[in-house]
mmCIF file of all heavy atoms in Angstrom:
data_model
loop_
_atom_site.group_PDB
_atom_site.id
_atom_site.type_symbol
_atom_site.label_atom_id
_atom_site.label_comp_id
_atom_site.label_asym_id
_atom_site.label_seq_id
_atom_site.Cartn_x
_atom_site.Cartn_y
_atom_site.Cartn_z
ATOM 1 N N GLN A 185 -2.040 24.295 -15.598
ATOM 2 C CA GLN A 185 -2.181 24.409 -17.040
ATOM 3 C C GLN A 185 -1.414 23.327 -17.780
ATOM 4 O O GLN A 185 -1.786 22.921 -18.866
ATOM 5 C CB GLN A 185 -1.702 25.790 -17.509
ATOM 6 C CG GLN A 185 -2.660 26.937 -17.177
ATOM 7 C CD GLN A 185 -2.690 27.256 -15.698
ATOM 8 O OE1 GLN A 185 -1.683 27.087 -15.012
ATOM 9 N NE2 GLN A 185 -3.833 27.696 -15.208
ATOM 10 N N THR A 186 -0.305 22.854 -17.217
ATOM 11 C CA THR A 186 0.519 21.877 -17.932
ATOM 12 C C THR A 186 0.432 20.480 -17.360
ATOM 13 O O THR A 186 0.943 19.543 -17.949
ATOM 14 C CB THR A 186 2.001 22.325 -17.890
ATOM 15 O OG1 THR A 186 2.417 22.451 -16.535
ATOM 16 C CG2 THR A 186 2.173 23.646 -18.611
ATOM 17 N N ILE A 187 -0.232 20.307 -16.223
ATOM 18 C CA ILE A 187 -0.227 19.005 -15.581
ATOM 19 C C ILE A 187 -1.044 17.976 -16.357
ATOM 20 O O ILE A 187 -0.923 16.782 -16.152
ATOM 21 C CB ILE A 187 -0.763 19.131 -14.138
ATOM 22 C CG1 ILE A 187 -0.281 17.947 -13.294
ATOM 23 C CG2 ILE A 187 -2.276 19.205 -14.125
ATOM 24 C CD1 ILE A 187 1.212 17.859 -13.225
ATOM 25 N N ARG A 188 -1.899 18.448 -17.276
ATOM 26 C CA ARG A 188 -2.660 17.507 -18.082
ATOM 27 C C ARG A 188 -1.741 16.627 -18.933
ATOM 28 O O ARG A 188 -2.141 15.573 -19.401
ATOM 29 C CB ARG A 188 -3.631 18.274 -18.985
ATOM 30 C CG ARG A 188 -2.951 19.029 -20.107
ATOM 31 C CD ARG A 188 -3.967 19.622 -21.076
ATOM 32 N NE ARG A 188 -4.698 20.710 -20.468
ATOM 33 C CZ ARG A 188 -4.313 21.988 -20.553
ATOM 34 N NH1 ARG A 188 -3.190 22.290 -21.181
ATOM 35 N NH2 ARG A 188 -5.027 22.936 -20.001
ATOM 36 N N ASP A 189 -0.515 17.061 -19.136
ATOM 37 C CA ASP A 189 0.418 16.297 -19.945
ATOM 38 C C ASP A 189 1.071 15.156 -19.170
ATOM 39 O O ASP A 189 1.794 14.363 -19.747
ATOM 40 C CB ASP A 189 1.514 17.214 -20.499
ATOM 41 C CG ASP A 189 0.954 18.269 -21.450
ATOM 42 O OD1 ASP A 189 -0.038 17.969 -22.119
ATOM 43 O OD2 ASP A 189 1.505 19.382 -21.492
ATOM 44 N N TRP A 190 0.815 15.082 -17.869
ATOM 45 C CA TRP A 190 1.426 14.026 -17.065
ATOM 46 C C TRP A 190 0.699 12.704 -17.276
ATOM 47 O O TRP A 190 -0.527 12.653 -17.419
ATOM 48 C CB TRP A 190 1.377 14.401 -15.587
ATOM 49 C CG TRP A 190 2.488 15.305 -15.158
ATOM 50 C CD1 TRP A 190 2.842 16.489 -15.728
ATOM 51 C CD2 TRP A 190 3.381 15.100 -14.068
ATOM 52 N NE1 TRP A 190 3.900 17.041 -15.060
ATOM 53 C CE2 TRP A 190 4.256 16.213 -14.028
ATOM 54 C CE3 TRP A 190 3.536 14.110 -13.118
ATOM 55 C CZ2 TRP A 190 5.266 16.342 -13.084
ATOM 56 C CZ3 TRP A 190 4.534 14.242 -12.165
ATOM 57 C CH2 TRP A 190 5.399 15.339 -12.159
ATOM 58 N N SER A 191 1.474 11.633 -17.292
ATOM 59 C CA SER A 191 0.916 10.282 -17.296
ATOM 60 C C SER A 191 1.255 9.643 -15.954
ATOM 61 O O SER A 191 2.434 9.462 -15.628
ATOM 62 C CB SER A 191 1.518 9.464 -18.444
ATOM 63 O OG SER A 191 1.150 8.110 -18.340
ATOM 64 N N ILE A 192 0.229 9.335 -15.165
ATOM 65 C CA ILE A 192 0.428 8.833 -13.802
ATOM 66 C C ILE A 192 0.032 7.370 -13.727
ATOM 67 O O ILE A 192 -1.039 6.980 -14.194
ATOM 68 C CB ILE A 192 -0.387 9.652 -12.786
ATOM 69 C CG1 ILE A 192 0.108 11.097 -12.765
ATOM 70 C CG2 ILE A 192 -0.286 9.049 -11.388
ATOM 71 C CD1 ILE A 192 -0.691 12.000 -11.847
ATOM 72 N N HIS A 193 0.911 6.570 -13.153
ATOM 73 C CA HIS A 193 0.633 5.144 -12.953
ATOM 74 C C HIS A 193 1.127 4.758 -11.569
ATOM 75 O O HIS A 193 2.322 4.844 -11.276
ATOM 76 C CB HIS A 193 1.319 4.292 -14.019
ATOM 77 C CG HIS A 193 0.984 2.836 -13.917
ATOM 78 N ND1 HIS A 193 1.752 1.849 -14.471
ATOM 79 C CD2 HIS A 193 -0.045 2.189 -13.302
ATOM 80 C CE1 HIS A 193 1.225 0.666 -14.216
ATOM 81 N NE2 HIS A 193 0.121 0.851 -13.506
ATOM 82 N N ILE A 194 0.195 4.323 -10.729
ATOM 83 C CA ILE A 194 0.516 3.840 -9.383
ATOM 84 C C ILE A 194 0.290 2.341 -9.359
ATOM 85 O O ILE A 194 -0.776 1.857 -9.755
ATOM 86 C CB ILE A 194 -0.365 4.531 -8.326
ATOM 87 C CG1 ILE A 194 -0.165 6.046 -8.372
ATOM 88 C CG2 ILE A 194 -0.056 4.001 -6.927
ATOM 89 C CD1 ILE A 194 -1.193 6.822 -7.577
ATOM 90 N N VAL A 195 1.293 1.604 -8.930
ATOM 91 C CA VAL A 195 1.213 0.144 -8.843
ATOM 92 C C VAL A 195 1.128 -0.254 -7.379
ATOM 93 O O VAL A 195 1.956 0.156 -6.560
ATOM 94 C CB VAL A 195 2.447 -0.519 -9.486
ATOM 95 C CG1 VAL A 195 2.409 -2.033 -9.273
ATOM 96 C CG2 VAL A 195 2.512 -0.194 -10.972
ATOM 97 N N GLY A 196 0.119 -1.029 -7.043
ATOM 98 C CA GLY A 196 0.001 -1.586 -5.695
ATOM 99 C C GLY A 196 0.197 -3.083 -5.745
ATOM 100 O O GLY A 196 -0.369 -3.764 -6.610
ATOM 101 N N SER A 197 1.005 -3.611 -4.837
ATOM 102 C CA SER A 197 1.298 -5.042 -4.883
ATOM 103 C C SER A 197 1.307 -5.634 -3.492
ATOM 104 O O SER A 197 1.633 -4.961 -2.511
ATOM 105 C CB SER A 197 2.660 -5.285 -5.546
ATOM 106 O OG SER A 197 3.707 -4.790 -4.738
ATOM 107 N N ASP A 198 0.941 -6.900 -3.418
ATOM 108 C CA ASP A 198 0.956 -7.607 -2.140
ATOM 109 C C ASP A 198 1.099 -9.107 -2.388
ATOM 110 O O ASP A 198 0.750 -9.603 -3.473
ATOM 111 C CB ASP A 198 -0.323 -7.320 -1.353
ATOM 112 C CG ASP A 198 -0.148 -7.610 0.120
ATOM 113 O OD1 ASP A 198 0.293 -6.701 0.845
ATOM 114 O OD2 ASP A 198 -0.423 -8.743 0.534
ATOM 115 N N LEU A 199 1.582 -9.785 -1.385
ATOM 116 C CA LEU A 199 1.747 -11.232 -1.479
ATOM 117 C C LEU A 199 0.406 -11.958 -1.483
ATOM 118 O O LEU A 199 0.243 -12.988 -2.132
ATOM 119 C CB LEU A 199 2.596 -11.729 -0.304
ATOM 120 C CG LEU A 199 2.799 -13.238 -0.176
ATOM 121 C CD1 LEU A 199 3.633 -13.760 -1.327
ATOM 122 C CD2 LEU A 199 3.454 -13.579 1.157
ATOM 123 N N LEU A 200 -0.570 -11.418 -0.760
ATOM 124 C CA LEU A 200 -1.826 -12.116 -0.542
ATOM 125 C C LEU A 200 -2.856 -11.777 -1.615
ATOM 126 O O LEU A 200 -3.205 -10.614 -1.814
ATOM 127 C CB LEU A 200 -2.389 -11.768 0.838
ATOM 128 C CG LEU A 200 -1.465 -12.077 2.031
ATOM 129 C CD1 LEU A 200 -2.139 -11.692 3.327
ATOM 130 C CD2 LEU A 200 -1.062 -13.552 2.043
#
Side-chain angles (χ1 to χ4, degrees):
Q185 286 71 31
T186 58
I187 202 60
R188 71 173 70 92
D189 296 328
W190 277 53
S191 171
I192 296 177
H193 184 200
I194 301 168
V195 175
S197 68
D198 200 88
L199 176 67
L200 302 180

